[in-house]
Coordinates of all heavy atoms in Angstrom, one line a residue:
M8 N -3.5 45.7 -16.1 CA -4.1 44.4 -16.4 C -3.8 43.3 -15.5 O -4.6 42.5 -15.1 CB -3.6 44.0 -17.8 CG -4.4 44.6 -19.0 SD -5.5 43.7 -19.6 CE -5.9 42.9 -20.7
S9 N -2.5 43.3 -15.1 CA -2.1 42.2 -14.1 C -2.8 42.4 -12.7 O -2.9 41.4 -12.0 CB -0.6 42.2 -14.0 OG -0.1 43.4 -13.4
A10 N -3.2 43.6 -12.4 CA -3.9 43.8 -11.1 C -5.2 43.1 -11.1 O -5.7 42.5 -10.1 CB -4.0 45.2 -10.8
G11 N -5.9 43.1 -12.3 CA -7.1 42.5 -12.4 C -7.0 41.0 -12.2 O -7.8 40.2 -11.6
Y12 N -5.9 40.4 -12.9 CA -5.7 39.0 -12.8 C -5.3 38.6 -11.4 O -5.7 37.5 -10.9 CB -4.6 38.5 -13.8 CG -4.9 38.7 -15.2 CD1 -4.1 39.4 -16.1 CD2 -6.1 38.1 -15.7 CE1 -4.4 39.5 -17.4 CE2 -6.3 38.2 -17.1 CZ -5.5 38.9 -17.9 OH -5.8 39.0 -19.3
M13 N -4.6 39.5 -10.7 CA -4.2 39.1 -9.4 C -5.4 39.1 -8.5 O -5.5 38.2 -7.6 CB -3.2 40.2 -8.9 CG -2.6 39.9 -7.5 SD -1.3 41.0 -7.0 CE -2.0 42.6 -7.1
S14 N -6.3 40.1 -8.6 CA -7.5 40.1 -7.7 C -8.4 39.0 -8.0 O -9.0 38.3 -7.1 CB -8.3 41.4 -7.9 OG -8.8 41.5 -9.2
T15 N -8.5 38.5 -9.3 CA -9.3 37.3 -9.7 C -8.6 36.0 -9.0 O -9.4 35.1 -8.5 CB -9.4 37.1 -11.2 OG1 -9.9 38.3 -11.8 CG2 -10.2 36.0 -11.6
S16 N -7.4 36.0 -9.1 CA -6.7 34.8 -8.5 C -6.9 34.7 -7.0 O -7.2 33.6 -6.4 CB -5.2 34.9 -8.8 OG -4.5 33.8 -8.2
I17 N -6.8 35.9 -6.3 CA -7.0 35.9 -4.8 C -8.4 35.5 -4.5 O -8.7 34.8 -3.6 CB -6.6 37.3 -4.3 CG1 -5.1 37.5 -4.4 CG2 -7.1 37.4 -2.9 CD1 -4.7 38.8 -4.0
K18 N -9.4 36.1 -5.3 CA -10.8 35.7 -5.1 C -11.1 34.2 -5.3 O -11.7 33.6 -4.4 CB -11.7 36.5 -6.0 CG -13.2 36.3 -5.8 CD -14.0 37.1 -6.7 CE -14.1 36.3 -8.0 NZ -15.0 36.9 -9.0
N19 N -10.5 33.6 -6.3 CA -10.6 32.2 -6.5 C -10.0 31.4 -5.4 O -10.5 30.4 -4.9 CB -10.1 31.8 -7.9 CG -10.9 32.3 -9.0 OD1 -12.1 32.6 -8.9 ND2 -10.3 32.5 -10.2
N20 N -8.9 31.8 -4.9 CA -8.2 31.2 -3.8 C -9.0 31.2 -2.5 O -9.1 30.2 -1.8 CB -6.8 31.6 -3.6 CG -5.8 31.2 -4.7 OD1 -6.1 30.2 -5.4 ND2 -4.7 31.9 -4.8
L21 N -9.6 32.4 -2.3 CA -10.5 32.5 -1.1 C -11.7 31.6 -1.2 O -12.2 31.1 -0.2 CB -10.9 34.0 -0.9 CG -9.8 34.9 -0.4 CD1 -10.2 36.4 -0.3 CD2 -9.2 34.4 1.0
N22 N -12.3 31.5 -2.4 CA -13.4 30.6 -2.6 C -13.0 29.1 -2.4 O -13.8 28.4 -1.7 CB -13.9 30.7 -4.0 CG -14.7 32.0 -4.3 OD1 -15.1 32.6 -3.3 ND2 -14.8 32.4 -5.5
L23 N -11.9 28.7 -2.8 CA -11.3 27.4 -2.5 C -11.2 27.2 -0.9 O -11.5 26.2 -0.4 CB -10.1 27.1 -3.2 CG -10.2 26.9 -4.7 CD1 -8.8 26.7 -5.3 CD2 -11.0 25.7 -5.0
L24 N -10.7 28.2 -0.3 CA -10.4 28.1 1.2 C -11.7 28.0 1.9 O -11.8 27.2 2.9 CB -9.7 29.4 1.6 CG -9.3 29.4 3.1 CD1 -8.3 28.4 3.4 CD2 -8.7 30.8 3.4
S25 N -12.7 28.6 1.5 CA -14.0 28.5 2.2 C -14.5 27.0 2.0 O -15.1 26.5 2.9 CB -15.1 29.5 1.8 OG -15.4 29.3 0.4
K26 N -14.3 26.4 0.9 CA -14.7 25.0 0.7 C -14.0 24.1 1.6 O -14.5 23.1 2.1 CB -14.6 24.7 -0.8 CG -15.5 25.4 -1.7 CD -15.4 25.0 -3.1 CE -16.3 25.8 -4.0 NZ -16.0 25.5 -5.4
R27 N -12.7 24.4 1.8 CA -11.9 23.6 2.6 C -12.4 23.6 4.1 O -12.4 22.6 4.8 CB -10.4 24.0 2.5 CG -9.8 23.7 1.3 CD -8.3 24.0 1.4 NE -7.8 24.1 0.0 CZ -7.0 25.0 -0.4 NH1 -6.7 26.1 0.3 NH2 -6.6 25.0 -1.7
K28 N -12.8 24.8 4.6 CA -13.3 24.9 5.9 C -14.6 24.1 6.1 O -14.8 23.6 7.2 CB -13.5 26.4 6.2 CG -12.3 27.2 6.5 CD -12.7 28.7 6.8 CE -11.4 29.4 7.0 NZ -11.8 30.8 7.3
K29 N -15.4 24.1 5.1 CA -16.6 23.3 5.2 C -16.3 21.8 5.3 O -17.0 21.1 6.0 CB -17.5 23.5 3.9 CG -18.1 24.9 3.9 CD -18.9 25.0 2.6 CE -19.4 26.4 2.4 NZ -20.0 26.6 1.1
L30 N -15.2 21.3 4.7 CA -14.9 19.9 4.7 C -14.2 19.5 6.1 O -14.1 18.3 6.4 CB -14.0 19.6 3.6 CG -14.6 19.6 2.2 CD1 -13.5 19.3 1.2 CD2 -15.7 18.6 2.1
R31 N -13.8 20.4 6.9 CA -13.0 20.1 8.1 C -13.9 19.2 9.0 O -13.3 18.2 9.6 CB -12.6 21.3 8.8 CG -11.5 21.9 8.2 CD -10.9 23.1 9.1 NE -9.8 23.7 8.5 CZ -9.2 24.7 9.0 NH1 -9.6 25.3 10.0 NH2 -8.1 25.2 8.3
N32 N -15.1 19.5 9.2 CA -15.9 18.6 10.1 C -16.3 17.3 9.5 O -16.6 16.4 10.2 CB -17.2 19.4 10.5 CG -16.9 20.6 11.3 OD1 -15.9 20.6 12.0 ND2 -17.7 21.6 11.3
T33 N -16.3 17.2 8.2 CA -16.6 15.9 7.6 C -15.5 14.8 7.6 O -15.7 13.6 7.6 CB -17.1 16.0 6.2 OG1 -16.1 16.6 5.4 CG2 -18.3 16.9 6.1
L34 N -14.2 15.4 7.7 CA -13.1 14.4 7.6 C -12.8 13.8 9.0 O -12.2 12.7 9.1 CB -11.8 15.2 7.2 CG -11.9 15.7 5.7 CD1 -10.6 16.5 5.5 CD2 -12.1 14.5 4.8
G35 N -13.2 14.4 10.1 CA -13.1 13.8 11.4 C -11.7 14.1 12.1 O -11.6 14.1 13.3
S36 N -10.7 14.3 11.3 CA -9.4 14.5 11.9 C -9.2 15.9 12.5 O -8.3 16.2 13.3 CB -8.3 14.2 10.9 OG -8.4 15.1 9.9
Y37 N -10.1 16.8 12.1 CA -10.0 18.2 12.5 C -10.7 18.4 13.9 O -10.3 19.3 14.7 CB -10.6 19.2 11.5 CG -9.8 19.2 10.2 CD1 -10.1 18.6 9.1 CD2 -8.6 20.0 10.2 CE1 -9.4 18.6 8.0 CE2 -7.9 20.0 9.1 CZ -8.3 19.4 8.0 OH -7.6 19.4 6.8
N38 N -11.7 17.6 14.2 CA -12.5 17.7 15.4 C -11.9 16.9 16.5 O -12.0 15.7 16.5 CB -13.9 17.3 15.1 CG -14.8 17.8 16.2 OD1 -14.4 18.4 17.2 ND2 -16.1 17.6 15.9
Q39 N -11.2 17.6 17.5 CA -10.5 16.9 18.5 C -11.5 16.4 19.6 O -11.1 15.5 20.4 CB -9.5 17.8 19.2 CG -8.3 18.2 18.2 CD -7.5 17.0 17.9 OE1 -7.4 16.0 18.6 NE2 -7.0 17.0 16.7
S40 N -12.7 16.9 19.7 CA -13.7 16.5 20.7 C -14.2 15.1 20.6 O -14.6 14.5 21.5 CB -14.8 17.5 20.9 OG -15.6 17.5 19.7
N41 N -14.2 14.6 19.3 CA -14.7 13.3 19.0 C -13.6 12.3 18.9 O -13.8 11.2 18.3 CB -15.5 13.4 17.6 CG -16.8 14.1 17.7 OD1 -17.3 14.3 18.8 ND2 -17.3 14.6 16.6
K42 N -12.5 12.5 19.4 CA -11.4 11.6 19.4 C -11.7 10.3 20.2 O -12.2 10.3 21.3 CB -10.2 12.3 20.1 CG -8.9 11.4 19.9 CD -7.7 12.2 20.5 CE -6.4 11.4 20.3 NZ -5.3 12.1 20.9
A43 N -11.5 9.2 19.5 CA -11.8 7.9 20.2 C -10.8 7.6 21.2 O -9.6 7.8 21.0 CB -11.9 6.8 19.1
E44 N -11.3 7.0 22.3 CA -10.4 6.6 23.4 C -10.4 5.1 23.6 O -11.5 4.5 23.5 CB -10.8 7.3 24.7 CG -10.5 8.8 24.7 CD -10.7 9.4 26.1 OE1 -10.5 8.7 27.1 OE2 -11.0 10.6 26.1
Y45 N -9.3 4.5 23.7 CA -9.2 3.0 23.7 C -8.7 2.7 25.1 O -7.8 3.3 25.7 CB -8.3 2.5 22.7 CG -8.8 2.8 21.3 CD1 -8.1 3.8 20.6 CD2 -9.8 2.1 20.7 CE1 -8.6 4.1 19.3 CE2 -10.3 2.4 19.4 CZ -9.6 3.4 18.7 OH -10.0 3.7 17.5
S46 N -9.1 1.6 25.7 CA -8.6 1.1 27.0 C -7.9 -0.3 26.6 O -8.6 -1.3 26.7 CB -9.7 0.9 28.0 OG -10.7 0.0 27.5
L47 N -6.7 -0.1 26.2 CA -5.9 -1.3 25.8 C -5.3 -2.0 27.1 O -4.9 -1.3 28.0 CB -4.8 -1.0 24.8 CG -5.3 -0.4 23.5 CD1 -4.2 0.2 22.7 CD2 -6.2 -1.4 22.7
P48 N -5.3 -3.3 27.1 CA -4.7 -3.9 28.2 C -3.1 -3.7 28.3 O -2.6 -3.6 27.2 CB -5.0 -5.4 28.1 CG -5.3 -5.6 26.6 CD -5.8 -4.3 26.1
K49 N -2.6 -3.8 29.4 CA -1.1 -3.6 29.5 C -0.4 -5.0 29.2 O -0.9 -6.0 29.5 CB -0.7 -3.2 30.9 CG -1.3 -1.9 31.3 CD -0.8 -0.7 30.5 CE -1.3 0.6 31.0 NZ -1.0 1.6 30.1
A50 N 0.7 -4.9 28.4 CA 1.3 -6.1 28.0 C 2.7 -6.2 28.7 O 3.4 -5.2 28.8 CB 1.6 -6.2 26.5
S51 N 3.1 -7.3 29.2 CA 4.4 -7.5 29.8 C 5.4 -7.6 28.7 O 5.2 -7.8 27.6 CB 4.3 -8.7 30.8 OG 4.2 -9.9 30.0
H52 N 6.7 -7.6 29.2 CA 7.8 -7.7 28.2 C 7.8 -9.1 27.6 O 8.1 -9.3 26.5 CB 9.2 -7.4 29.0 CG 9.3 -6.0 29.3 ND1 9.5 -5.0 28.4 CD2 9.3 -5.4 30.5 CE1 9.6 -3.9 29.0 NE2 9.5 -4.0 30.3
K53 N 7.4 -10.1 28.4 CA 7.4 -11.5 27.9 C 6.4 -11.6 26.8 O 6.6 -12.2 25.8 CB 7.1 -12.5 29.0 CG 7.2 -13.9 28.7 CD 7.0 -14.8 29.8 CE 7.1 -16.2 29.4 NZ 6.8 -17.2 30.5
Q54 N 5.2 -11.0 27.0 CA 4.1 -11.1 26.0 C 4.6 -10.3 24.7 O 4.3 -10.8 23.6 CB 2.9 -10.4 26.6 CG 2.1 -11.3 27.6 CD 0.9 -10.5 28.2 OE1 1.0 -9.3 28.3 NE2 -0.1 -11.3 28.6
L55 N 5.2 -9.2 24.9 CA 5.7 -8.5 23.7 C 6.7 -9.2 23.0 O 6.8 -9.3 21.8 CB 6.2 -7.1 24.2 CG 5.2 -6.1 24.7 CD1 5.9 -4.9 25.2 CD2 4.2 -5.8 23.6
R56 N 7.6 -10.0 23.7 CA 8.7 -10.8 23.0 C 8.0 -11.9 22.2 O 8.4 -12.2 21.1 CB 9.6 -11.3 24.0 CG 10.8 -10.4 24.3 CD 11.9 -10.9 25.1 NE 11.6 -10.5 26.5 CZ 11.4 -11.2 27.6 NH1 11.5 -12.6 27.4 NH2 11.2 -10.7 28.7
N57 N 6.9 -12.5 22.8 CA 6.2 -13.6 22.2 C 5.5 -13.1 20.9 O 5.5 -13.8 19.9 CB 5.2 -14.3 23.2 CG 5.9 -15.1 24.2 OD1 7.0 -15.5 24.0 ND2 5.2 -15.4 25.3
I58 N 5.0 -12.0 21.0 CA 4.3 -11.4 19.9 C 5.3 -11.1 18.7 O 5.0 -11.4 17.6 CB 3.5 -10.1 20.2 CG1 2.3 -10.5 21.2 CG2 3.0 -9.3 19.0 CD1 1.7 -9.3 21.8
A59 N 6.4 -10.5 19.1 CA 7.5 -10.2 18.2 C 7.9 -11.5 17.5 O 8.2 -11.5 16.3 CB 8.6 -9.4 18.8
K60 N 8.1 -12.5 18.3 CA 8.6 -13.8 17.8 C 7.6 -14.4 16.8 O 8.0 -14.9 15.7 CB 8.9 -14.8 18.9 CG 9.6 -16.0 18.5 CD 9.7 -17.0 19.6 CE 10.5 -16.5 20.7 NZ 10.7 -17.5 21.8
R61 N 6.3 -14.3 17.2 CA 5.2 -14.9 16.3 C 5.2 -14.1 15.0 O 5.0 -14.7 13.9 CB 3.9 -14.8 17.0 CG 2.8 -15.6 16.3 CD 1.6 -15.6 17.1 NE 1.0 -14.2 17.1 CZ 0.6 -13.7 18.2 NH1 0.7 -14.3 19.4 NH2 0.1 -12.4 18.2
L62 N 5.4 -12.8 15.1 CA 5.3 -12.0 13.8 C 6.5 -12.2 12.9 O 6.3 -12.3 11.7 CB 5.3 -10.5 14.2 CG 4.0 -9.9 14.8 CD1 4.1 -8.5 15.2 CD2 2.9 -10.1 13.8
R63 N 7.7 -12.4 13.5 CA 8.8 -12.8 12.7 C 8.6 -14.1 12.0 O 9.0 -14.3 10.8 CB 10.1 -12.9 13.6 CG 10.7 -11.5 13.9 CD 12.1 -11.7 14.5 NE 12.1 -12.3 15.7 CZ 12.0 -11.7 16.9 NH1 11.9 -10.4 17.0 NH2 12.1 -12.4 18.1
E64 N 8.1 -15.1 12.7 CA 7.8 -16.4 12.2 C 6.8 -16.3 11.0 O 7.0 -16.9 9.9 CB 7.3 -17.4 13.2 CG 7.0 -18.8 12.7 CD 8.2 -19.6 12.2 OE1 9.4 -19.2 12.7 OE2 8.1 -20.5 11.5
E65 N 5.8 -15.5 11.3 CA 4.7 -15.4 10.2 C 5.4 -14.7 8.9 O 5.1 -15.1 7.8 CB 3.5 -14.5 10.7 CG 2.7 -15.2 11.7 CD 1.6 -14.3 12.3 OE1 1.5 -13.1 11.9 OE2 0.9 -14.8 13.1
H66 N 6.2 -13.7 9.2 CA 6.9 -13.0 8.1 C 7.8 -14.0 7.3 O 7.8 -14.0 6.1 CB 7.7 -11.9 8.6 CG 8.4 -11.0 7.6 ND1 8.0 -11.0 6.2 CD2 9.4 -10.2 7.7 CE1 8.8 -10.2 5.6 NE2 9.7 -9.8 6.4
R67 N 8.5 -14.8 8.1 CA 9.4 -15.8 7.4 C 8.6 -16.8 6.5 O 9.0 -17.1 5.4 CB 10.2 -16.6 8.5 CG 11.3 -17.4 8.0 CD 12.0 -18.2 9.0 NE 11.1 -19.2 9.7 CZ 10.8 -20.4 9.1 NH1 11.2 -20.7 7.9 NH2 10.0 -21.3 9.8
V68 N 7.5 -17.3 7.1 CA 6.6 -18.2 6.3 C 6.1 -17.5 5.1 O 6.1 -18.1 4.0 CB 5.5 -18.8 7.3 CG1 4.5 -19.5 6.4 CG2 6.1 -19.7 8.3
R69 N 5.6 -16.3 5.2 CA 5.1 -15.6 4.1 C 6.1 -15.3 3.0 O 5.8 -15.5 1.9 CB 4.5 -14.2 4.6 CG 3.7 -13.5 3.5 CD 3.1 -12.2 4.0 NE 2.6 -12.2 5.4 CZ 3.1 -11.5 6.4 NH1 4.1 -10.6 6.1 NH2 2.6 -11.5 7.6
M70 N 7.3 -15.0 3.4 CA 8.4 -14.8 2.5 C 8.8 -16.1 1.7 O 9.0 -16.1 0.5 CB 9.6 -14.2 3.1 CG 9.4 -12.7 3.5 SD 8.9 -11.7 2.1 CE 10.3 -11.8 1.0
A71 N 8.8 -17.2 2.5 CA 9.0 -18.5 1.8 C 8.0 -18.8 0.8 O 8.2 -19.3 -0.3 CB 9.1 -19.6 2.9
K72 N 6.7 -18.5 1.1 CA 5.6 -18.8 0.2 C 5.9 -17.9 -1.1 O 5.6 -18.4 -2.2 CB 4.3 -18.5 0.7 CG 3.8 -19.5 1.8 CD 2.5 -19.1 2.4 CE 2.0 -20.1 3.5 NZ 0.8 -19.7 4.1
V73 N 6.2 -16.7 -0.9 CA 6.4 -15.8 -2.1 C 7.5 -16.2 -2.9 O 7.4 -16.3 -4.2 CB 6.7 -14.4 -1.6 CG1 7.2 -13.5 -2.7 CG2 5.4 -13.8 -0.9
V74 N 8.6 -16.7 -2.3 CA 9.8 -17.2 -3.0 C 9.4 -18.4 -3.8 O 9.7 -18.6 -5.0 CB 11.0 -17.5 -2.1 CG1 12.1 -18.2 -2.8 CG2 11.5 -16.2 -1.6
V75 N 8.6 -19.4 -3.2 CA 8.2 -20.6 -3.9 C 7.3 -20.3 -5.1 O 7.5 -20.8 -6.2 CB 7.6 -21.6 -2.9 CG1 6.9 -22.7 -3.6 CG2 8.5 -22.1 -1.9
V76 N 6.4 -19.4 -4.9 CA 5.5 -19.1 -6.0 C 6.2 -18.4 -7.2 O 6.0 -18.7 -8.3 CB 4.3 -18.2 -5.5 CG1 3.5 -17.6 -6.6 CG2 3.4 -19.0 -4.6
T77 N 7.2 -17.5 -6.8 CA 8.0 -16.8 -7.8 C 8.8 -17.7 -8.6 O 8.9 -17.7 -9.8 CB 8.9 -15.7 -7.1 OG1 8.0 -14.9 -6.4 CG2 9.6 -15.0 -8.1
V78 N 9.4 -18.7 -7.9 CA 10.3 -19.7 -8.6 C 9.4 -20.7 -9.5 O 9.8 -20.9 -10.6 CB 11.1 -20.6 -7.5 CG1 11.7 -21.8 -8.2 CG2 12.1 -19.7 -6.9
V79 N 8.3 -21.0 -9.0 CA 7.4 -21.9 -9.9 C 6.9 -21.1 -11.1 O 7.0 -21.7 -12.2 CB 6.2 -22.4 -9.0 CG1 5.1 -23.0 -9.8 CG2 6.7 -23.4 -8.0
L80 N 6.5 -19.9 -11.0 CA 6.1 -19.1 -12.0 C 7.2 -18.8 -13.1 O 7.0 -18.9 -14.3 CB 5.5 -17.8 -11.6 CG 4.1 -17.8 -10.9 CD1 3.7 -16.4 -10.4 CD2 3.1 -18.4 -11.9
F81 N 8.4 -18.6 -12.5 CA 9.6 -18.4 -13.4 C 9.8 -19.6 -14.2 O 10.0 -19.5 -15.4 CB 10.8 -18.0 -12.6 CG 12.1 -17.9 -13.3 CD1 12.3 -16.8 -14.1 CD2 13.0 -18.9 -13.3 CE1 13.5 -16.7 -14.9 CE2 14.2 -18.9 -14.1 CZ 14.4 -17.7 -14.9
F82 N 9.9 -20.8 -13.6 CA 10.1 -22.0 -14.3 C 9.0 -22.4 -15.3 O 9.3 -22.9 -16.4 CB 10.4 -23.2 -13.4 CG 11.8 -23.2 -12.8 CD1 12.0 -23.1 -11.5 CD2 12.9 -23.2 -13.6 CE1 13.3 -23.1 -10.9 CE2 14.2 -23.1 -13.1 CZ 14.4 -23.1 -11.8
A83 N 7.8 -22.0 -15.0 CA 6.7 -22.2 -15.9 C 6.8 -21.4 -17.1 O 6.6 -21.8 -18.2 CB 5.4 -22.0 -15.2
L84 N 7.2 -20.1 -16.9 CA 7.4 -19.2 -18.0 C 8.6 -19.7 -18.9 O 8.5 -19.6 -20.1 CB 7.6 -17.8 -17.5 CG 6.3 -17.1 -17.0 CD1 6.7 -15.7 -16.4 CD2 5.3 -16.9 -18.1
V85 N 9.7 -20.1 -18.3 CA 10.8 -20.6 -19.1 C 10.4 -21.8 -19.8 O 10.8 -22.0 -21.0 CB 12.0 -20.8 -18.1 CG1 13.1 -21.6 -18.8 CG2 12.5 -19.5 -17.6
G86 N 9.6 -22.7 -19.2 CA 9.2 -23.9 -19.9 C 8.3 -23.6 -21.1 O 8.4 -24.1 -22.1
I87 N 7.4 -22.6 -20.9 CA 6.5 -22.3 -21.9 C 7.3 -21.6 -23.1 O 7.0 -21.9 -24.3 CB 5.4 -21.2 -21.4 CG1 4.4 -22.0 -20.5 CG2 4.7 -20.6 -22.6 CD1 3.5 -21.1 -19.8
F88 N 8.3 -20.8 -22.7 CA 9.1 -20.2 -23.8 C 9.8 -21.2 -24.5 O 9.9 -21.2 -25.8 CB 10.1 -19.2 -23.1 CG 11.0 -18.6 -24.1 CD1 10.6 -17.6 -25.0 CD2 12.4 -18.9 -24.1 CE1 11.4 -17.1 -25.9 CE2 13.2 -18.4 -25.0 CZ 12.8 -17.4 -25.9
L89 N 10.5 -22.2 -23.9 CA 11.3 -23.2 -24.6 C 10.4 -24.1 -25.4 O 10.7 -24.5 -26.5 CB 12.0 -24.0 -23.5 CG 13.2 -23.3 -22.8 CD1 13.9 -24.2 -21.8 CD2 14.2 -22.8 -23.9
Y90 N 9.2 -24.4 -24.9 CA 8.2 -25.2 -25.7 C 7.8 -24.5 -26.9 O 7.8 -25.1 -28.0 CB 7.0 -25.6 -24.8 CG 6.0 -26.4 -25.5 CD1 6.2 -27.7 -25.8 CD2 4.8 -25.8 -26.0 CE1 5.3 -28.5 -26.4 CE2 3.9 -26.6 -26.6 CZ 4.1 -27.9 -26.8 OH 3.2 -28.6 -27.5
A91 N 7.5 -23.2 -26.7 CA 7.1 -22.4 -27.9 C 8.2 -22.2 -28.9 O 8.1 -22.3 -30.1 CB 6.6 -21.0 -27.4
K92 N 9.5 -22.1 -28.3 CA 10.6 -21.9 -29.3 C 10.8 -23.2 -30.0 O 11.1 -23.2 -31.3 CB 11.9 -21.6 -28.4 CG 13.0 -21.4 -29.2 CD 14.3 -21.0 -28.4 CE 15.5 -20.9 -29.2 NZ 16.7 -20.7 -28.4
G93 N 10.7 -24.4 -29.4 CA 10.8 -25.6 -30.2 C 9.8 -25.8 -31.1 O 10.0 -26.3 -32.3
G94 N 8.5 -25.4 -30.8 CA 7.4 -25.5 -31.8 C 7.7 -24.6 -32.9 O 7.4 -25.0 -34.1
I95 N 8.1 -23.4 -32.7 CA 8.4 -22.4 -33.8 C 9.5 -23.0 -34.7 O 9.4 -22.9 -36.0 CB 8.8 -21.0 -33.3 CG1 7.5 -20.5 -32.5 CG2 9.3 -20.1 -34.3 CD1 7.8 -19.1 -31.9
I96 N 10.6 -23.5 -34.1 CA 11.7 -24.1 -34.9 C 11.1 -25.2 -35.8 O 11.5 -25.4 -37.0 CB 12.9 -24.5 -34.0 CG1 13.5 -23.3 -33.4 CG2 13.9 -25.4 -34.8 CD1 14.6 -23.6 -32.4
Q97 N 10.3 -26.1 -35.3 CA 9.8 -27.2 -36.1 C 8.8 -26.7 -37.2 O 8.9 -27.2 -38.3 CB 8.9 -28.1 -35.2 CG 9.8 -29.0 -34.3 CD 8.9 -29.9 -33.4 OE1 7.7 -29.8 -33.4 NE2 9.6 -30.8 -32.6
L98 N 8.1 -25.6 -36.9 CA 7.3 -25.1 -38.0 C 8.1 -24.5 -39.0 O 7.8 -24.5 -40.2 CB 6.3 -24.0 -37.4 CG 5.2 -24.6 -36.6 CD1 4.4 -23.3 -35.9 CD2 4.3 -25.3 -37.4
L99 N 9.2 -23.9 -38.7 CA 10.1 -23.2 -39.7 C 10.8 -24.2 -40.5 O 11.2 -23.9 -41.7 CB 11.0 -22.2 -39.1 CG 10.4 -21.0 -38.4 CD1 11.4 -20.1 -37.6 CD2 9.6 -20.1 -39.4
T100 N 11.2 -25.4 -40.0 CA 12.0 -26.3 -40.7 C 11.1 -27.2 -41.7 O 11.7 -27.7 -42.6 CB 12.7 -27.3 -39.7 OG1 11.7 -27.9 -38.9 CG2 13.7 -26.6 -38.9
Y101 N 9.8 -27.2 -41.6 CA 9.0 -27.9 -42.5 C 8.9 -27.2 -43.8 O 8.8 -26.2 -44.1 CB 7.7 -28.3 -41.9 CG 7.7 -29.4 -40.9 CD1 7.2 -29.2 -39.6 CD2 8.2 -30.6 -41.3 CE1 7.3 -30.3 -38.7 CE2 8.2 -31.7 -40.4 CZ 7.8 -31.5 -39.1 OH 7.8 -32.5 -38.2

């Protein structure tokens, strides 16, 4: 009985393998002849340092914005909670 299951499993796996072979040309990464070639300009060390410095500055500004938005949202949620808590206490005391 197990030999029959084994042959069915192998047949199913081979069927899946043939489907994978069909997909190779559609994904693009398998076909090396269609590889795109780029002619990028050469960058000097000074240009690379300037790019790195600019990226660090952009990252610093982005992180500052994230921190400010997070702090504002945190205080807004705390304020809403305290306002709601005071409202609930007033409702319970009447």
Side-chain angles (χ1 to χ4, degrees):
M8 276 265 252
S9 66
Y12 292 130
M13 187 172 59
S14 66
T15 304
S16 176
I17 290 173
K18 185 179 82 171
N19 290 336
N20 287 341
L21 287 175
N22 287 339
L23 289 175
L24 184 62
S25 66
K26 290 178 185 176
R27 289 185 198 132
K28 285 181 182 177
K29 290 177 187 175
L30 291 176
R31 282 189 179 176
N32 291 332
T33 60
L34 296 177
S36 63
Y37 292 101
N38 195 353
Q39 294 295 329
S40 64
N41 292 337
K42 187 176 179 182
E44 292 190 24
Y45 301 102
S46 59
L47 299 174
K49 300 294 181 190
S51 68
H52 291 289
K53 185 176 181 180
Q54 288 172 328
L55 292 175
R56 274 188 261 122
N57 288 339
I58 291 170
K60 188 185 299 185
R61 188 175 70 231
L62 287 174
R63 280 193 297 268
E64 180 66 22
E65 288 175 4
H66 182 24
R67 189 183 66 78
V68 169
R69 190 177 323 118
M70 288 305 295
K72 288 179 183 178
V73 167
V74 168
V75 167
V76 168
T77 304
V78 168
V79 167
L80 288 176
F81 175 74
F82 283 121
L84 288 174
V85 167
I87 290 170
F88 176 73
L89 291 176
Y90 178 75
K92 182 179 177 186
I95 291 173
I96 291 174
Q97 286 179 355
L98 286 175
L99 293 175
T100 57
Y101 284 123

